[in-house]
Amino acid sequence: MKHVIHHLGGRGGERTLVVHGGAGDVAPERRPLHAAGCLRAAREGARVLAEGGSALDAVERAVRVLEDDPLFNAGTGACLNEEGRVELDASIMEGRGLRAGAVCALAGFAAPIAIARAALEDGRHVLYAAHGAARFAREKGFSPVDEAALVTEAARAALAAAQQGQPATSWAGGTVGAVARDASGLTAAATSTGGMVNKRVGRVGDSPIVGAGTYADDEAGAVSTTGHGEGMIRLAVARSAVERMRAGSGAAEAARAIIAHLSERLGMTGGVIAIDREGRFGLSRSTATMSWAAAGDWGEESGV
Ligand code: GLY
């Protein structure tokens, strides 16, 4: 099946941050809510940049806002696995030293992106899984939360619909993510998700996989992905899009081309946001919706 690819780009600026709120099919009446949630996150991230914070700090902050917003499939409000449990995936990367940190199949913590950042800073390993990720989080001073506090009525309804073979309505789908460039030219990307509704226990998607869900390289740009994680992993979508920018594509064209490739090569859908080393940004989706927002020293934009 051939999917229609929607894409757009923006000129951005020296300090620019872009977020996405997940590729999916949000009901028309709920789309403004999702765009507003993305704009809140983008403004928070842009404020970090304006105050002299790094692109890494900015993407972590923006993703944290989206994790805390129950509208989105990450942190609080994340989708549920086949047993009705929350298992979270997240990763973060900076493009100068190519440092990265990630957690996957993590239960009982509200802010996996902060734990991924702690892994990046710790530097010994890139990716921590399941109980090892929870142990690492506790060792770094993060407090576990009652899992019930992360579960929303919308997530329960989406699971019930999936288990009855019905499409979920008003569900963000995807994942959340952010990419940024700061005034020093540092690029960064971060991605966080509950994964897929009704996923098997232990299933890990693209979001915590460096190169699939998240990638940043100051020599080229930064990318965060959303959508069908199995396809994103098989095509190493984030790194592939960054390599398109390294080869000379603009962020918008790199975003368009990789989502077209996902459709043509694997017949799968998804979306990406991208930023190049000059701060120009692009986004692309083959799904019905992907809420997004961009903000920086040049202004702000948002859409679905
Ligand atoms: N892209 C999110 C997932 O498939 O887990």
Side-chain angles (χ1 to χ4, degrees), residues 89 174-175 193-196 203-207 225-230 232:
D89 298 338
T175 291
T193 190
M196 295 169 75
R203 179 265 186 187
V204 173
D206 57 316
S207 303
T225 74
T226 166
H228 202 132
E230 279 67 11
M232 301 294 180

Side-chain angles (χ1 to χ4, degrees), residues 67-168:
E67 286 179 338
D68 289 347
D69 187 333
L71 267 186
F72 297 101
N73 176 14
T76 304
C79 68
L80 305 177
N81 70 14
E82 62 186 356
E83 293 184 346
R85 306 289 306 274
V86 177
E87 289 187 326
L88 301 172
D89 298 338
S91 63
I92 188 165
M93 182 171 188
E94 55 86 10
R96 190 157 299 157
L98 304 182
R99 293 180 301 150
V103 291
C104 65
L106 173 65
F109 288 86
I113 200 64
I115 302 166
R117 173 73 187 269
L120 179 153
E121 297 297 344
D122 179 80
R124 179 167 172 192
H125 303 304
V126 169
L127 174 59
Y128 293 85
H131 71 272
R135 186 158 126 182
F136 173 80
R138 283 193 300 272
E139 282 170 9
K140 291 292 174 183
F142 293 93
S143 301
V145 296
D146 184 352
E147 190 176 313
L150 303 177
V151 179
T152 60
E153 203 40 56
R156 281 197 201 92
L159 178 64
Q163 291 186 334
Q164 288 160 19
Q166 296 162 6

Side-chain angles (χ1 to χ4, degrees), residues 26-35 71 154 169-171 304:
V26 175
E29 68 277 11
R30 294 180 60 82
R31 292 177 189 175
L33 275 177
H34 286 254
L71 267 186
T169 54
S170 296
W171 180 249
V304 178

Side-chain angles (χ1 to χ4, degrees), residues 34-304:
H34 286 254
C38 283
L39 194 52
R40 272 193 301 277
R43 283 178 179 157
E44 280 285 313
R47 191 171 57 76
V48 171
L49 295 177
E51 290 171 355
S54 72
L56 191 59
D57 294 335
V59 294
E60 181 188 349
R61 179 74 199 125
V63 166
R64 180 66 192 269
V65 171
L66 293 164
E67 286 179 338
D68 289 347
D69 187 333
L71 267 186
F72 297 101
N73 176 14
T76 304
C79 68
L80 305 177
N81 70 14
E82 62 186 356
E83 293 184 346
R85 306 289 306 274
V86 177
E87 289 187 326
L88 301 172
D89 298 338
S91 63
I92 188 165
M93 182 171 188
E94 55 86 10
R96 190 157 299 157
L98 304 182
R99 293 180 301 150
V103 291
C104 65
L106 173 65
F109 288 86
I113 200 64
I115 302 166
R117 173 73 187 269
L120 179 153
E121 297 297 344
D122 179 80
R124 179 167 172 192
H125 303 304
V126 169
L127 174 59
Y128 293 85
H131 71 272
R135 186 158 126 182
F136 173 80
R138 283 193 300 272
E139 282 170 9
K140 291 292 174 183
F142 293 93
S143 301
V145 296
D146 184 352
E147 190 176 313
L150 303 177
V151 179
T152 60
E153 203 40 56
R156 281 197 201 92
L159 178 64
Q163 291 186 334
Q164 288 160 19
Q166 296 162 6
T169 54
S170 296
W171 180 249
T175 291
V176 306
V179 295
R181 179 207 192 269
D182 66 26
S184 79
L186 179 73
T187 60
T191 310
S192 182
T193 190
M196 295 169 75
V197 181
N198 200 31
K199 65 186 180 181
R200 285 184 174 150
V201 173
R203 179 265 186 187
V204 173
D206 57 316
S207 303
I209 308 297
V210 170
T214 301
Y215 204 77
D217 184 338
D218 288 1
E219 295 175 0
V223 169
S224 170
T225 74
T226 166
H228 202 132
E230 279 67 11
M232 301 294 180
I233 293 171
R234 288 160 64 195
L235 292 180
V237 162
R239 175 72 191 266
S240 298
V242 166
E243 291 310 313
R244 286 173 189 267
M245 290 190 277
R246 194 191 308 278
S249 291
E253 172 51 21
R256 187 206 63 77
I258 197 67
I259 291 302
H261 186 56
L262 180 71
S263 171
E264 287 155 14
R265 192 71 178 85
L266 296 180
M268 290 180 176
T269 58
V272 300
I273 53 173
I275 194 164
D276 70 20
R277 57 190 184 165
E278 269 90 42
R280 291 176 299 229
F281 66 89
L283 48 120
S284 173
R285 64 174 160 87
S286 53
T287 48
T289 63
M290 181 179 77
S291 54
W292 65 277
D297 46 7
W298 47 272
E300 62 185 31
E301 286 181 59
S302 64
V304 178

